[in-house]
Amino acid sequence: AGGFRKGEPRRIVLATTTSVRDCGLLDVLIPAFEKETGISVAPIAVGSGEALRMGRDGNADVMLVHDPRGEEKMAEDGLIEDDSEIMRSRFVVVGPAADQAGLSSLHTGQEVFAKLGAVQATFVSRGDDSGTHRLEERMWKTAGLDPPQDAMWYVSVGAGMMHALRVASEKQGYCLADTATWLKARKDLDLEVLVDSDAPEWANVYSVLLLAPAKFPALNHEGARRFSDFVTTGSGRGILRSFGIAE
């Protein structure tokens, strides 16, 4: 069929985030899509920044990411044909039950990160140019601070959300986390949610992005479009709606 990549007509490369993988969503979404369409999916789970770079370099057919500002930049550069929000949750700040920094009474990113900087409590950063890491960097700036890269109390792990949470638990430190991965991991962690707000600044918006065919003629645009349709208007929508409700 037209639009399928020569040599592998029934396969798409999905660039997505470690949080989508770690929370278990890919484990239910991909098999359902493959069964319905006969198109196999090769998922590559990295930080959103790296996933967007894969798209920019033409190394992915479709992207599922959560970095609205990074997505806007690609759209401005004429690289995106379609950007559709498919789900949203929120970010939370987790930390030790003792909450030495006293974050549990705070609500805004400015308050939370100003307090973290003032008390210099151990903070674990993903440090991986993910959507979560990029939000964290913006939160420091909102608090009038630069990310304290060289500070002893600032631990940058350069890894996914699950690993960052484990390190935070071991060190009894604080961490900015997406809700889905936190719910998946919390039973094995000695941490609690200390800041949980439904204010827009804490929103975690996931979108599926299709690349512009004129810019990337070699990609499997038909397969990518079918994946996008599956999660936006097709039966994948029901999977997204019901996923994680029990947790």
Side-chain angles (χ1 to χ4, degrees), residues 16 22 24 36 42 73 83 86 90 99 113 116 157 160 170 177 179 190-191 204 209-210 232 237 244:
T16 188
D22 290 348
E36 181 175 308
K73 181 66 171 68
D83 184 342
I86 59 167
R90 61 192 182 278
D99 188 21
F113 281 80
L116 285 167
V157 296
E170 291 165 7
T179 309
D190 185 16
L191 298 170
N204 186 16
L209 277 65
L210 297 177
T232 54
R237 188 94 192 116

mmCIF file of all heavy atoms in Angstrom, residues 16 22 24 36 42 73 83 86 90 99 113 116 157 160 170 177 179 190-191 204 209-210 232 237 244:
data_model
loop_
_atom_site.group_PDB
_atom_site.id
_atom_site.type_symbol
_atom_site.label_atom_id
_atom_site.label_comp_id
_atom_site.label_asym_id
_atom_site.label_seq_id
_atom_site.Cartn_x
_atom_site.Cartn_y
_atom_site.Cartn_z
ATOM 1 N N THR A 16 8.664 6.958 22.043
ATOM 2 C CA THR A 16 7.820 7.344 23.161
ATOM 3 C C THR A 16 8.662 7.530 24.415
ATOM 4 O O THR A 16 9.886 7.502 24.354
ATOM 5 C CB THR A 16 6.682 6.325 23.362
ATOM 6 O OG1 THR A 16 5.768 6.824 24.350
ATOM 7 C CG2 THR A 16 7.217 4.972 23.793
ATOM 8 N N ASP A 22 7.081 2.508 31.515
ATOM 9 C CA ASP A 22 7.216 2.064 32.909
ATOM 10 C C ASP A 22 5.874 1.871 33.603
ATOM 11 O O ASP A 22 5.747 1.025 34.490
ATOM 12 C CB ASP A 22 8.069 3.051 33.707
ATOM 13 C CG ASP A 22 9.535 3.033 33.300
ATOM 14 O OD1 ASP A 22 9.931 2.112 32.561
ATOM 15 O OD2 ASP A 22 10.276 3.947 33.705
ATOM 16 N N GLY A 24 3.302 0.665 32.287
ATOM 17 C CA GLY A 24 2.660 -0.537 31.770
ATOM 18 C C GLY A 24 1.687 -0.302 30.629
ATOM 19 O O GLY A 24 1.089 -1.256 30.116
ATOM 20 N N GLU A 36 -5.421 -5.660 15.934
ATOM 21 C CA GLU A 36 -6.484 -5.043 15.139
ATOM 22 C C GLU A 36 -6.029 -4.706 13.722
ATOM 23 O O GLU A 36 -6.807 -4.826 12.767
ATOM 24 C CB GLU A 36 -6.978 -3.777 15.845
ATOM 25 C CG GLU A 36 -8.114 -3.068 15.120
ATOM 26 C CD GLU A 36 -8.664 -1.888 15.916
ATOM 27 O OE1 GLU A 36 -8.998 -2.093 17.106
ATOM 28 O OE2 GLU A 36 -8.742 -0.794 15.359
ATOM 29 N N ALA A 42 7.462 -1.199 16.787
ATOM 30 C CA ALA A 42 8.765 -1.261 17.446
ATOM 31 C C ALA A 42 8.879 -0.028 18.338
ATOM 32 O O ALA A 42 9.168 1.071 17.849
ATOM 33 C CB ALA A 42 9.880 -1.277 16.410
ATOM 34 N N LYS A 73 7.807 23.692 19.155
ATOM 35 C CA LYS A 73 8.992 24.078 18.377
ATOM 36 C C LYS A 73 9.079 23.264 17.083
ATOM 37 O O LYS A 73 9.382 23.815 16.010
ATOM 38 C CB LYS A 73 10.252 23.855 19.221
ATOM 39 C CG LYS A 73 11.555 24.260 18.514
ATOM 40 C CD LYS A 73 11.610 25.774 18.275
ATOM 41 C CE LYS A 73 12.968 26.244 17.781
ATOM 42 N NZ LYS A 73 13.285 25.781 16.419
ATOM 43 N N ASP A 83 -0.759 17.039 15.699
ATOM 44 C CA ASP A 83 -0.398 16.887 17.109
ATOM 45 C C ASP A 83 -1.696 16.797 17.889
ATOM 46 O O ASP A 83 -2.402 17.793 18.048
ATOM 47 C CB ASP A 83 0.437 18.099 17.561
ATOM 48 C CG ASP A 83 0.944 17.975 19.008
ATOM 49 O OD1 ASP A 83 0.394 17.162 19.757
ATOM 50 O OD2 ASP A 83 1.873 18.710 19.372
ATOM 51 N N ILE A 86 -3.924 12.971 23.620
ATOM 52 C CA ILE A 86 -4.657 11.717 23.793
ATOM 53 C C ILE A 86 -4.964 11.411 25.253
ATOM 54 O O ILE A 86 -5.872 10.635 25.555
ATOM 55 C CB ILE A 86 -3.913 10.529 23.155
ATOM 56 C CG1 ILE A 86 -2.512 10.354 23.765
ATOM 57 C CG2 ILE A 86 -3.848 10.687 21.651
ATOM 58 C CD1 ILE A 86 -1.866 9.029 23.395
ATOM 59 N N ARG A 90 -1.140 14.206 35.843
ATOM 60 C CA ARG A 90 -0.503 15.360 36.461
ATOM 61 C C ARG A 90 0.826 14.917 37.072
ATOM 62 O O ARG A 90 1.091 13.725 37.247
ATOM 63 C CB ARG A 90 -1.389 16.003 37.527
ATOM 64 C CG ARG A 90 -1.747 15.086 38.687
ATOM 65 C CD ARG A 90 -2.845 15.691 39.550
ATOM 66 N NE ARG A 90 -3.169 14.841 40.683
ATOM 67 C CZ ARG A 90 -3.986 13.798 40.616
ATOM 68 N NH1 ARG A 90 -4.549 13.471 39.471
ATOM 69 N NH2 ARG A 90 -4.246 13.074 41.701
ATOM 70 N N ASP A 99 9.108 14.512 55.636
ATOM 71 C CA ASP A 99 9.017 15.788 54.911
ATOM 72 C C ASP A 99 9.801 16.908 55.593
ATOM 73 O O ASP A 99 9.258 17.944 55.980
ATOM 74 C CB ASP A 99 7.538 16.192 54.777
ATOM 75 C CG ASP A 99 7.353 17.405 53.858
ATOM 76 O OD1 ASP A 99 8.255 17.687 53.043
ATOM 77 O OD2 ASP A 99 6.302 18.069 53.976
ATOM 78 N N PHE A 113 9.714 24.728 44.670
ATOM 79 C CA PHE A 113 11.114 24.684 44.281
ATOM 80 C C PHE A 113 11.937 25.768 44.970
ATOM 81 O O PHE A 113 13.132 25.581 45.216
ATOM 82 C CB PHE A 113 11.237 24.723 42.751
ATOM 83 C CG PHE A 113 10.962 23.374 42.140
ATOM 84 C CD1 PHE A 113 9.660 22.933 41.961
ATOM 85 C CD2 PHE A 113 12.001 22.525 41.802
ATOM 86 C CE1 PHE A 113 9.404 21.668 41.437
ATOM 87 C CE2 PHE A 113 11.764 21.268 41.276
ATOM 88 C CZ PHE A 113 10.459 20.839 41.095
ATOM 89 N N LEU A 116 12.706 24.007 48.237
ATOM 90 C CA LEU A 116 13.741 22.993 48.048
ATOM 91 C C LEU A 116 15.123 23.630 47.957
ATOM 92 O O LEU A 116 16.092 23.145 48.538
ATOM 93 C CB LEU A 116 13.457 22.180 46.775
ATOM 94 C CG LEU A 116 12.335 21.145 46.857
ATOM 95 C CD1 LEU A 116 11.967 20.650 45.467
ATOM 96 C CD2 LEU A 116 12.745 19.974 47.749
ATOM 97 N N VAL A 157 20.306 11.628 37.889
ATOM 98 C CA VAL A 157 20.570 10.218 37.601
ATOM 99 C C VAL A 157 20.696 9.919 36.108
ATOM 100 O O VAL A 157 21.174 8.859 35.725
ATOM 101 C CB VAL A 157 19.492 9.309 38.228
ATOM 102 C CG1 VAL A 157 19.527 9.413 39.740
ATOM 103 C CG2 VAL A 157 18.105 9.641 37.689
ATOM 104 N N GLY A 160 15.452 7.043 33.509
ATOM 105 C CA GLY A 160 14.002 7.149 33.489
ATOM 106 C C GLY A 160 13.377 7.355 34.852
ATOM 107 O O GLY A 160 14.041 7.332 35.890
ATOM 108 N N GLU A 170 15.803 5.366 48.125
ATOM 109 C CA GLU A 170 17.025 4.937 48.827
ATOM 110 C C GLU A 170 17.664 6.083 49.605
ATOM 111 O O GLU A 170 18.156 5.899 50.724
ATOM 112 C CB GLU A 170 18.028 4.383 47.815
ATOM 113 C CG GLU A 170 17.622 3.055 47.191
ATOM 114 C CD GLU A 170 18.446 2.718 45.956
ATOM 115 O OE1 GLU A 170 19.411 3.456 45.676
ATOM 116 O OE2 GLU A 170 18.121 1.719 45.279
ATOM 117 N N ALA A 177 7.571 13.577 39.898
ATOM 118 C CA ALA A 177 7.201 12.314 39.244
ATOM 119 C C ALA A 177 5.883 12.441 38.498
ATOM 120 O O ALA A 177 5.009 13.220 38.893
ATOM 121 C CB ALA A 177 7.091 11.203 40.286
ATOM 122 N N THR A 179 2.307 10.865 37.635
ATOM 123 C CA THR A 179 1.402 10.089 38.481
ATOM 124 C C THR A 179 1.363 8.616 38.090
ATOM 125 O O THR A 179 1.339 7.739 38.956
ATOM 126 C CB THR A 179 -0.025 10.665 38.407
ATOM 127 O OG1 THR A 179 0.031 12.070 38.664
ATOM 128 C CG2 THR A 179 -0.935 10.029 39.425
ATOM 129 N N ASP A 190 9.757 3.783 49.657
ATOM 130 C CA ASP A 190 9.548 4.387 50.968
ATOM 131 C C ASP A 190 9.399 5.895 50.783
ATOM 132 O O ASP A 190 10.216 6.684 51.244
ATOM 133 C CB ASP A 190 10.740 4.053 51.878
ATOM 134 C CG ASP A 190 10.528 4.543 53.310
ATOM 135 O OD1 ASP A 190 9.369 4.849 53.668
ATOM 136 O OD2 ASP A 190 11.520 4.632 54.050
ATOM 137 N N LEU A 191 8.349 6.271 50.047
ATOM 138 C CA LEU A 191 8.078 7.676 49.723
ATOM 139 C C LEU A 191 6.577 7.918 49.812
ATOM 140 O O LEU A 191 5.784 6.985 49.744
ATOM 141 C CB LEU A 191 8.546 8.008 48.301
ATOM 142 C CG LEU A 191 10.040 7.884 47.967
ATOM 143 C CD1 LEU A 191 10.237 8.024 46.464
ATOM 144 C CD2 LEU A 191 10.855 8.932 48.716
ATOM 145 N N ASN A 204 0.117 17.036 33.077
ATOM 146 C CA ASN A 204 1.007 16.158 32.313
ATOM 147 C C ASN A 204 0.251 15.711 31.067
ATOM 148 O O ASN A 204 -0.547 14.784 31.117
ATOM 149 C CB ASN A 204 1.421 14.964 33.174
ATOM 150 C CG ASN A 204 2.458 14.095 32.503
ATOM 151 O OD1 ASN A 204 3.088 14.500 31.536
ATOM 152 N ND2 ASN A 204 2.621 12.887 33.009
ATOM 153 N N LEU A 209 2.087 12.471 17.810
ATOM 154 C CA LEU A 209 2.544 13.385 16.755
ATOM 155 C C LEU A 209 2.814 12.621 15.468
ATOM 156 O O LEU A 209 3.485 11.581 15.481
ATOM 157 C CB LEU A 209 3.843 14.090 17.168
ATOM 158 C CG LEU A 209 3.754 15.322 18.061
ATOM 159 C CD1 LEU A 209 3.197 14.973 19.431
ATOM 160 C CD2 LEU A 209 5.128 15.971 18.215
ATOM 161 N N LEU A 210 2.290 13.172 14.379
ATOM 162 C CA LEU A 210 2.570 12.646 13.046
ATOM 163 C C LEU A 210 3.496 13.616 12.331
ATOM 164 O O LEU A 210 3.282 14.833 12.363
ATOM 165 C CB LEU A 210 1.273 12.485 12.251
ATOM 166 C CG LEU A 210 0.258 11.478 12.809
ATOM 167 C CD1 LEU A 210 -1.005 11.474 11.973
ATOM 168 C CD2 LEU A 210 0.867 10.086 12.875
ATOM 169 N N THR A 232 -6.708 8.035 19.135
ATOM 170 C CA THR A 232 -7.497 9.266 19.255
ATOM 171 C C THR A 232 -8.994 9.024 19.099
ATOM 172 O O THR A 232 -9.801 9.570 19.858
ATOM 173 C CB THR A 232 -7.053 10.319 18.220
ATOM 174 O OG1 THR A 232 -7.104 9.750 16.899
ATOM 175 C CG2 THR A 232 -5.647 10.812 18.502
ATOM 176 N N ARG A 237 -8.765 4.270 22.270
ATOM 177 C CA ARG A 237 -9.289 5.327 23.150
ATOM 178 C C ARG A 237 -9.870 4.714 24.422
ATOM 179 O O ARG A 237 -9.698 5.232 25.524
ATOM 180 C CB ARG A 237 -10.359 6.118 22.400
ATOM 181 C CG ARG A 237 -10.831 7.348 23.114
ATOM 182 C CD ARG A 237 -10.065 8.572 22.663
ATOM 183 N NE ARG A 237 -10.349 9.682 23.561
ATOM 184 C CZ ARG A 237 -9.447 10.271 24.336
ATOM 185 N NH1 ARG A 237 -8.200 9.876 24.319
ATOM 186 N NH2 ARG A 237 -9.766 11.271 25.107
ATOM 187 N N GLY A 244 -5.408 2.076 34.397
ATOM 188 C CA GLY A 244 -4.967 2.607 35.691
ATOM 189 C C GLY A 244 -6.065 3.022 36.634
ATOM 190 O O GLY A 244 -5.779 3.531 37.718
#
